């Protein structure tokens, strides 16, 4: 079957990128949250989402460094598991009782991530 080797390679690169991104996310969130005493604002998730969007913008920029398609695939997969909308939604929902924190966190995350993506494209 033509191309099956390419598909297998792509799957392995995606798996490796996803695993590394997920582990990096866990370590960064754990480090950020370990030093905090006020859990109302999920700082760890905000940090990984902003950083991940910056890096994704750099990887996705048309002017980014030329890299093989499989490397780009692995980077995008890794950044996809590094950042996560599901954690953002869960942590936002858990804070809905404190409306100011809930709305503020949502706005800072969405607008911040869009800004960081664009900044990443500009830096690439």
């Amino acid at each position: 079957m033509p191309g099956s080797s390419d598909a297998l390679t792509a799957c392995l690169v995606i798996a490796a990128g996803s695993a590394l991104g997920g582990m990096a996310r866990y370590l960064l969130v754990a480090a950020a949250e370990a030093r905090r005493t006020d859990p109302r604002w999920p700082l760890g998730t905000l940090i990984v989402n902003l950083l991940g969007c910056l890096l994704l913008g750099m990887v996705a920029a048309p002017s980014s460094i030329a890299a093989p398609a499989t490397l780009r695939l692995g980077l995008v997969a890794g950044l996809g598991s590094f950042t996560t909308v599901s954690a953002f939604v869960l942590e936002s929902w858990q804070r809905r009782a404190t409306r100011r924190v809930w709305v503020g966190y949502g706005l800072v995350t969405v607008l911040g991530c869009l800004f960081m993506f664009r900044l990443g494209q500009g830096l690439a």
Side-chain angles (χ1 to χ4, degrees), residues 28-103:
L28 186 55
V29 169
E33 296 298 332
R35 295 174 176 77
R36 300 188 58 224
T37 57
D38 182 4
R40 288 183 297 166
W41 191 277
L43 187 61
T45 299
L46 180 61
I47 290 169
V48 298
N49 284 338
L50 292 174
L51 179 60
C53 286
L54 174 69
L55 296 173
L56 183 61
M58 293 173 81
V59 169
S63 62
S64 66
I65 298 170
T70 52
L71 176 59
R72 285 172 127 19
L73 189 60
L75 289 171
V76 170
L79 291 169
S81 66
F82 181 67
T83 63
T84 177
V85 172
S86 58
F88 163 67
V89 169
L90 174 64
E91 291 171 344
S92 295
W93 185 253
Q94 290 170 337
R95 285 153 182 84
R96 71 190 179 282
T98 310
R99 186 170 176 80
R100 202 163 106 188
V101 170
W102 181 51
V103 171

Side-chain angles (χ1 to χ4, degrees), residues 13-27 74-75 77-79 81-82:
V13 167
I14 290 169
S18 297
L20 293 172
M23 289 185 287
R25 172 189 171 67
Y26 171 78
L27 293 172
L75 289 171
L79 291 169
S81 66
F82 181 67

